Amino acid sequence: MRIRYYMMCFRFEALVASHLEPEEFGIYMAVGTKKLASGKVMFFEVDPFPRPGAIDPGYFRLDDIEARCAPRLDGSPKRSKYISVYRVLEHLSLAQFGALYLTTSDGRVLKLDEAPWDGGLADAAAPKGSSIAPSGVNLYQELCPLLPMVVSTQGPDEFLRGMTDARNPVSAPRLLIADLRLNRDVAGHLAGDLPYTDARHIEECVRELEQDASKPSKTVSRTPRTQGFFRVLRRGFFLGDATGLKFYRFPTVDELEIHHAGWWRSAQMA
Amino acid sequence: MTTKTSSARRSSLLRRLAAPLFGIALLSVAWCFRPGDAHAGAGPTPRAFQFFSLFSDPSFTTLERTSLIAVLVIAVAGLVYALVLARQVVAADTGTQRMQDVANAVREGSNAYLRAQFRKLGPLIVVITFLLWLTYSGSEPVFRWGRAGAFLVGALFSWTVGFVGMRLATTGNLRVAAAATRSYGEAMQLGYRTGTVTGMLTDGLGLLGGTVIFLMYGVHAYEALLGFGFGGTLLALFMRVGGGIYTKAADVGADLVGKIEKDIPEDDPRNAATIADNVGDNVGDCAGMAADIFESYEVTIVAAMILGMASFGHKGVIFPLLVRGIGVLGSIVSTYTVRAGPEDSSDSALSSVHRGFWIGSTLSVIGFFALGFFYLRFDASYLSINPTAFAGFPGGDPTHLPAWASLGVGGLDLRPALTCLIGVFLAVALNKVTSYYTHTAHAPVKGLAKACTTGHATNIIEGFAIGYESTVATIVVVAAALGLSVLCYAGAPPLFVAYGVAMTGIGMLTLTGNTISMDVFGPVADNANGIGEMGYDPEEMERQKPGSYKKARQILADLDAVGNTTKAETKGIAIGSAVIAAVSLFSSFIAVIAVGSEERIGEMTIAQYQAEAARLTVATPSVFIGLLIGGAVPFLFSSMLIRAVGRAAFFIVRECRAQFRDLEIWRGTKKPDYGRVVDICTSTAQKELTGPALLAIGMPLVTGLVLGPYALGGFLAGMILTGQLLAVFMSNAGGAWDNAKKLIEDGIYGGKGSEAHKAAVTGDTVGDPLKDTAGPAINPLIKVMNMVSLLTLDLVLRFHVGTTRTDGLFGIAPGILGAVLAAVCLGAVLWAVNKSKQGTPGLEDDEVPERS
């Protein structure tokens, strides 16, 4: 059986070996086997083996992986064998990251392939028939390795460059962020369909950035909730560091309704 | 352990035997009171009876006979129209195999439910028919057959309306889903016409039954009409209770496991309760509501005919039938005008439905005023044949009527037409009140949605406040309509006033065809949306015609929204009609007390009626006690039903959890066993029917036999008042909670998944059994208790504990026999109450769902 490698990036950070296909793995991680769990997860399919240009090739213990990840005695596939559960993201190179898989809390899996980033794609999940205008400020949900929610006037590439710049007193080697909707109505308030629990605070943070041009970003929350997370995704996911950026485009609502109807219905639940 | 098991077995055996034992006890008592023993020598010998005597009775004019035949033809025309529409629906495109599979599962579930219900109710109906035949205490044998036979026909008609309506709804939903892939107008028209079939069936069968009975029995139709009304009412109670329990048990069960525990969306094919949930929409909103309105339709015509006969003579009987005939014609014309264009939206579709209602109303109002102008002439020759009518005119002279009632035409009395008009306005006003308190466009629901932002408790508190306030508004509207009807007959004796109230009920249900079309359209559109969700193949549809999937889904979502609105609007009419019918029947109740027997109601004088009505005062302790007991019964009834929903939902939750443990089902690679949940819903809903039915039939008997006939009057008054208040409160509070959730889901206060949404879901879950189970079931409860009281009044008058009569049986005093019968009934009621409070069997064995 072929061993696949997945990097869990939400709800926790880990590198996992498995015989399961990505869709099967997503279901397994979201709902378990007979003990039916429930909770959304996101993971990348990765190639963890060192190659030219990869950073820190010796971080993961992969020499005996074939033995550790052998099929079960009854011939059934090994569902998960954890290789590492700590600082995984920074120990893989950008080139090692494959597709990103979004799994809803009931186990529906959506595959996002890497897409070219042209710096200004339109909103993916704009509300249907709404007159809500997009805000000039961006709302980012950091997903890995940390989880703060941030508002920023910087575009995602610039934001990631800044946040992963080692010269910056507060930085991380690499970051995965999601770009969230921050639509506002004509009165300047957040759109009614956005499920953020701290909407008033987000509005205040946005106002602060708008009034103080010298301040590019502001943390909204250090422990954000992810209620309705998939529903508020804007352009997609950005994985990057000082060396580069990978963009995973989130489909438009039309694409979701037609081609991924099951996933999209499930994604809107929680 | 052994003791516990044997005790459980005994208890189970007792439970199984209780209902038959109660039936046998009633049969035994009925046998004791069989004809020949009762009323020995009491009252004068009735006049000789002949079937269809009105064709040879000189007091009926040729025009009247022709009119009655015309009404009969109109009733048949309504049924033919229903048949034509049904064929159109059946002939429509049935979509893809995948859609048909989903629709078939819903249809099979619905049929299974109705089959199981018929198996359960069939024997009961036969027993009650026999009881009615056996307990007839009059002296004319054909009335015995008439009462029992009419009961059977009323029950069968009511069941037919529910059965056929539901069959067609489960046929139409697939066609609507298929039509939505082509055009909005076609889908809308098919959905509405599916509802119209049930509406016209109600119209046609209700009118057919009342007219045939009157043609057969003429002025002696009282007994048969009561039997007919009771048959329809009792079946409606069963359909409402069973349907209400089914629909909410399935809904709550599906939501608890699907949405709350597993975070999966509505109509997700992996949820084993999904099909049962869709079946529930049909058995509750379609079969239950249709049977409910059918019995209101029956009962109002029965009340108007009985009171009309006792007040204005045969014109008082024939006019309501003619008005109903005009209503059927109005419904035929107006329902056919409801249509929508290919590119219409929900707003224009709703306008079309409302325009249809207005067209029907206008045609009907013009029709019954024109009819009244020519028919409601009271000349000397008519008054000499129908002398009771004299008392209905100022100074006993029709020419003394004020100009607003006679238009200055001597002998013309347009008051019955005016009270019908009040009824039409009442229907419209109740629609508006219900809409105001439950629709998302108005302040109450918007406020309720806002209350969700501060939490679950504030949502519940605000919902209660809205429900209470809406109750007052509804009562004010009903009271205003009653007041206007009373004003029309100001100065006339109470019996004539009661006739005016009954005519208000006739007017209110003039457009029953349209009302039921609007109601049934709701579950049809809802189911069509579910079929679209589960049965459409988005990629294939988009491949064949880009944009077609999104457009079809949008059409179904729009139709669903229209259906939700029209369904909510008709609930107000159902409750209002129950009150109007009950108030009218209450007058019949006093009339029977006044003359001592149903058979002699035609001999009643106005003075007798007034004297008896005056004795029904709360200053009399027994009447006051009856009032208190009657006022409490709707609460007990509601408690039993709500508990029943919880009990049935428990089994469904357990089954769904068990099926979700199968990972193949969870991953969507294996179909769940939908039939298992459908079976659970069907069997538990049937099991739960017995208790509420025993309460509805037993309590009036207990009150009447122990406290006497006047206390029974107090009982009815209390029950009508609190029943109406509670039904409106539960329906509107539940509707408001439901729509507050929808409002948030449409994208305010954070939309789906937000904290406000969670609070809204709590409100909706609390409101579900209120608005769809207990609230609607109170309508037939009110009428069943009225009917039982009327039908057993002879028994109560003769055998109540305080009677001074001495003509008992087998040397036993009537009071003692009454006490025994009361004890039997009380025992049955207590058993039912106890059963409703018992814990859910198997609860202790259930496992808490595991999480990894």
Side-chain angles (χ1 to χ4, degrees), chain A residues 24 27 31-33 35-38 105-106 108 192-195 197 225 227 231 254 257-259 261 265-266 268-270, chain B residues 262-266 268 270 533 538-539 542 549-550 660-661 663 666-667 747-753 755 758 850-852:
Chain A
E24 288 289 305
I27 295 170
V31 303
T33 50
K35 292 181 178 179
L36 295 176
S38 177
S105 52
D106 63 308
R108 302 266 181 179
D193 66 327
L194 297 176
T197 48
R225 298 186 191 179
Q227 281 293 334
R231 187 160 72 73
D254 277 357
E257 285 183 346
I258 292 164
H259 302 296
R265 285 201 84 215
S266 172
Q268 293 179 84
M269 285 299 293
Chain B
K262 306 296 178 199
D263 280 342
I264 60 172
E266 180 118 2
D268 191 302
R270 292 171 298 170
E533 173 61 40
E539 304 211 41
E542 287 296 315
Y549 171 73
K550 274 203 78 174
F660 271 134
R661 289 196 181 104
L663 264 196
W666 185 241
R667 288 170 183 172
I748 64 166
Y749 304 125
K752 270 185 185 174
E755 291 302 316
K758 286 179 190 166
E850 297 170 79
R851 287 176 179 268
S852 63

Side-chain angles (χ1 to χ4, degrees), chain B residues 192 353 357 514-522 566-567 569-570:
Chain B
Y192 189 78
V353 172
F357 194 85
N514 297 59
T515 305
I516 294 187
S517 305
M518 288 163 70
D519 173 66
V520 175
F521 180 64
T566 55
K567 192 174 77 178
E569 285 178 354
T570 56

